[in-house]
Amino acid sequence: MRRPPTRVVLATALLSAVSLSGTAAQAADPTPAVSRIADTRLDSRALYFVSYNGLVNNGSFQKNGLLTYKGHQYAAWYTADRSAVIARRALGSSDWRTVKLPHKLRYNDSHNVISMGVSKLDGRLHINMDSHSDGFFYVRSAAGLLDDPGGRAWTASEFGAVQTTLDGLTLTWQFTYPQFISTPEGRLQLSYRVAGSGNGRNALAEYDGRRWTALGEWTSSTGTYTSEHGSSSSRNMYLHGIDYSADGRLHAFFTWREQNAAVMCSSGGLTNHDTGYVYSTDRGRTWRNAAGTVVGTTGGSDRVSVNDTGLVVDPLNPDHSLMNQESQATDSAGRPHAVISYVPGRFGQCTTDYVRDRTANGRAFHVRKDATTGVWRKTEIPVPLNSSQRTHLAFDRYDNAYAVMPYGRIAGASKASGYTDWKLLFDGSGLNAFGEVVVDDTRLAQDGVLSFMYQQKSSGTTPSPIRVVDFALPK
């Protein structure tokens, strides 16, 4: 986990050439900065089609489409013939080695992403792919493959057969949004949604190095939500992420999506409303609101509901096209942060076409809990989205924040400012990125490199290059 170095606080004027116990005093922590150090091609002909305004190879909500473990980086995508492929390289190398899995994408649906996870207890790579409110496809590597990347060949024979269960564990026939997360003890968990948009529940499964176990559902789709326009009795919780912090807490920011469009001012908007937050101190078995009150139990009858108190940390009605599945991260002290985006009220109180209106007037915001007061704060990132799509949040080792925006643009804000000095650090020059990008959060934590996968713009269904670009952050 990132840990900032010990700091020397200067209470008055700038001091120079000061010695403390025979050593020079440390300078102030560096401010956010990025420097492009590499850009490598994964595939010259990656699958390309636009669905739900996005690409199947570059959903920023993928966890993980790109990951790093024990000095090697792994990437997953669909190539032009629709085959699922997995590649790896040693960090710092441009030599990606690719394995084609025996599965081809079924539909032109950008939700059917590939997600990867590592079970540290047995050194396996786990892959879940090609699902959107229907069955999933699952592959796992041989044990120890990721523990000995230099000594094990990167070949298809190292991967097992494609399954429609988790090694015999049947989850649900309506499965969407796989997200793998590693517990502090090294177990692997899988977060997923049961059922569909506007009527879904979040659930967890867990792998202990030997077998998968279903922990159960932890959110409820029932309850009544009422806006100034109407009411809805069914919904689902869209996660902005699910992540463990250094203190072992499991964090989840979210927004609710209502099934009944009567709750919003125009049918062309989004029924998403409010930014909420919950956490777990027992590896996802029970869930608490920000005040610490238990609001749900995984696998139990009492699940997190829209009618539970203390969940909302930033209220917003459904009239502003609030985006679902945006992003979250924790800093080195375990404090939760999120990025959300919507059309602010200064541009009007009713979005009528969420793609058009978000592209014209959408803005991203940084939401975090004040370390001193405990009050939730929100700061607008002063860079227009110019897109209907999502932004990804990350931190460097000094707890400076980085927002990787559509088209691969990068904005940053310093911890020293209280995250109020957001500015554009990289404008996406030369990338020709379609929109959302897939950030490797695991690499950032290991070697301080901000690495993300992006696909270049094309037209229709003409395949296009997919690449990984690396930026050095302050050391």
Side-chain angles (χ1 to χ4, degrees), residues 28 57 60 81-82 98 127 183-184 187 189 191 212 223 237 243 271 275 292 315 332 346 356 383 418 420 431 444:
N57 286 331
S60 67
D81 69 354
R82 311 181 73 86
T98 300
I127 302 147
T183 72
R187 297 194 298 270
Q189 294 180 323
S191 168
W212 283 97
M237 176 196 285
D243 300 275
T271 59
T275 297
S332 64
R346 66 179 182 271
R356 181 194 66 201
V383 181
T420 60
L431 298 185
L444 183 61

Side-chain angles (χ1 to χ4, degrees), residues 25-300:
Q26 282 186 295
D29 287 346
T31 57
V34 297
S35 175
R36 183 161 41 174
I37 55 176
D39 193 327
T40 60
R41 189 178 69 189
L42 291 168
D43 189 345
S44 62
R45 290 176 49 80
L47 183 63
Y48 190 97
F49 59 82
V50 179
S51 160
Y52 295 97
N53 308 298
L55 303 181
V56 72
N57 286 331
N58 281 90
S60 67
F61 54 85
Q62 286 175 253
K63 194 175 185 74
N64 300 280
L66 189 67
L67 66 82
T68 295
Y69 187 69
K70 293 194 173 181
H72 283 68
Q73 190 173 42
Y74 300 82
W77 71 97
Y78 298 101
T79 197
D81 69 354
R82 311 181 73 86
S83 294
V85 295
I86 309 294
R88 80 171 182 190
R89 67 168 175 176
L91 291 182
S93 171
S94 60
D95 182 19
W96 289 94
R97 301 295 177 92
T98 300
V99 166
K100 182 179 290 189
L101 299 177
H103 179 78
K104 293 192 174 184
L105 180 70
R106 296 168 296 160
Y107 315 121
N108 281 359
D109 187 333
S110 63
H111 292 78
N112 292 39
V113 299
I114 304 173
S115 293
M116 299 183 292
V118 179
S119 52
K120 298 178 181 179
L121 295 178
D122 61 359
R124 295 182 192 268
L125 181 66
H126 299 252
I127 302 147
N128 194 298
M129 54 192 165
D130 196 3
S131 62
H132 185 197
S133 299
D134 59 2
F136 61 84
F137 297 86
Y138 167 72
V139 176
R140 70 174 189 173
S141 77
L145 177 63
L146 271 62
D147 289 333
D148 185 20
R152 299 279 287 271
W154 185 249
T155 63
S157 62
E158 290 279 10
F159 292 85
V162 176
Q163 307 176 49
T164 55
T165 66
L166 295 179
D167 291 331
L169 175 64
T170 300
L171 296 179
T172 172
W173 66 272
Q174 287 185 292
F175 179 100
T176 314
Y177 304 129
Q179 296 188 69
F180 287 108
I181 44 176
S182 294
T183 72
E185 300 81 17
R187 297 194 298 270
L188 183 65
Q189 294 180 323
L190 176 63
S191 168
Y192 60 97
R193 187 185 74 187
V194 177
S197 176
N199 186 28
R201 288 92 62 197
N202 291 323
L204 288 171
E206 185 173 88
Y207 179 74
D208 64 2
R210 296 174 299 162
R211 64 178 64 87
W212 283 97
T213 302
L215 301 183
E217 299 174 12
W218 61 275
T219 68
S220 172
S221 59
T222 60
T224 299
Y225 170 78
T226 302
S227 75
E228 60 190 286
H229 309 292
S231 296
S232 176
S233 59
S234 181
R235 70 203 47 79
N236 71 266
M237 176 196 285
Y238 271 113
L239 297 177
H240 291 321
I242 184 165
D243 300 275
Y244 281 99
S245 55
D247 58 6
R249 286 192 177 190
L250 183 59
H251 303 265
F253 284 92
F254 62 88
T255 183
W256 296 108
R257 172 173 288 183
E258 299 300 320
Q259 186 177 65
N260 190 350
V263 299
M264 59 183 177
C265 61
S266 169
S267 61
L270 290 170
T271 59
N272 301 333
H273 63 90
D274 298 322
T275 297
Y277 168 77
V278 291
Y279 72 91
S280 172
T281 58
D282 58 3
R283 309 301 187 256
R285 271 64 174 179
T286 56
W287 295 90
R288 300 172 183 269
N289 64 19
T293 302
V294 174
V295 289
T297 302
T298 300

Side-chain angles (χ1 to χ4, degrees), residues 1-2 395 397 440-449:
M1 191 69 188
R2 300 180 305 274
F395 287 92
R397 66 187 61 195
D440 185 348
D441 294 310
T442 55
R443 181 173 184 186
L444 183 61
Q446 291 181 43
D447 70 356
V449 172

Side-chain angles (χ1 to χ4, degrees), residues 462-474:
T462 303
S464 69
I466 189 167
R467 306 181 65 91
V468 174
V469 61
D470 302 327
F471 294 85
L473 302 187

